[in-house]
């Protein structure tokens, strides 16, 4: 799931619209990876916060969340998307880390979803 953060720390409106629908799904036995889009320079205190409400619902619905990542190399003040010292998924900041995005995304996909990629 790809979740851009808007409005100072909330998921994009399209996600807010469907979050209740997500609660109706049983994710048991499913691997789910989260990708957060945000901006650490302009929104350093709510950096990719939009990921967390989706993460919470997925956990509630028994999803196996894969693909946590290190916060190393990022420069922000606070983020609810950091749990136990790590980001709860892949975090992409187009404004301040544009050059790294492609490699980070490719590596993350290979690390976490290689089997699924090969099936397609
Ligand atoms: C009004 C507005 C509020 C935003 N609030 C946040 C925020 O609280 N935290 C954050 O990390 N990024 C925030 N952003 C940055 C966006 O998440 C970032 O530009 C992202 O790349 C947008 O993804 P999209 O183009 O897929 O919608 C905000 C952007 C806008 C325009």
């Amino acid at each position: 799931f790809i979740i851009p953060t808007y409005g100072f720390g909330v998921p994009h409106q399209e996600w807010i619209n469907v979050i209740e629908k997500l609660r109706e799904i049983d994710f048991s036995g499913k691997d789910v990876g989260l990708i957060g889009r945000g901006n650490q320079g302009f929104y350093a205190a709510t950096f990719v916060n939009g990921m967390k409400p989706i993460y919470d619902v997925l956990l509630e619905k028994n999803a196996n969340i894969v693909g946590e990542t290190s916060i190393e190399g990022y420069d922000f003040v606070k983020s609810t998307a950091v749990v136990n010292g790590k980001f709860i998924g892949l975090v992409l900041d187009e404004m301040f880390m544009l050059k790294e995005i492609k490699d980070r995304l490719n590596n993350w996909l290979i690390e976490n979803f290689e089997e699924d990629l090969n099936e397609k």
Side-chain angles (χ1 to χ4, degrees):
F1 292 155
I2 305 180
I3 308 140
T5 298
Y6 278 89
F8 295 101
V10 295
H12 186 281
Q13 187 62 41
E14 295 289 335
W15 272 108
I16 295 175
N17 294 345
V18 298
I19 201 157
E20 288 311 315
K21 285 218 161 85
L22 215 56
R23 271 209 178 89
E24 293 166 13
I25 300 170
D26 178 14
F27 284 91
S28 300
K30 301 269 182 218
D31 289 346
V32 182
L34 298 177
I35 297 177
R37 287 167 55 76
N39 179 324
Q40 63 203 305
F42 295 178
Y43 304 95
T46 56
F47 184 44
V48 292
N49 277 16
M51 298 172 82
K52 186 62 165 38
I54 313 300
Y55 172 82
D56 287 341
V57 173
L58 289 168
L59 277 189
E60 212 176 287
K61 301 309 293 185
N62 304 314
N64 179 38
I65 302 196
V66 298
E68 59 177 24
T69 59
S70 168
I71 61 170
E72 218 168 288
Y74 293 81
D75 188 8
F76 61 98
V77 176
K78 245 172 36 185
S79 174
T80 57
V82 177
V83 172
N84 297 328
K86 289 191 144 195
F87 283 127
I88 54 184
L90 176 68
V91 168
L92 301 178
D93 177 344
E94 218 164 78
M95 176 90 68
F96 292 97
M97 292 177 122
L98 182 61
K99 279 197 203 129
E100 292 108 302
I101 281 189
K102 212 171 165 186
D103 283 346
R104 275 183 198 263
L105 180 59
N106 280 337
N107 293 339
W108 185 81
L109 286 172
I110 290 165
E111 268 168 38
N112 297 288
F113 295 100
E114 190 163 24
E115 276 173 36
D116 306 278
L117 293 172
N118 290 337
E119 270 169 31
K120 282 166 193 143

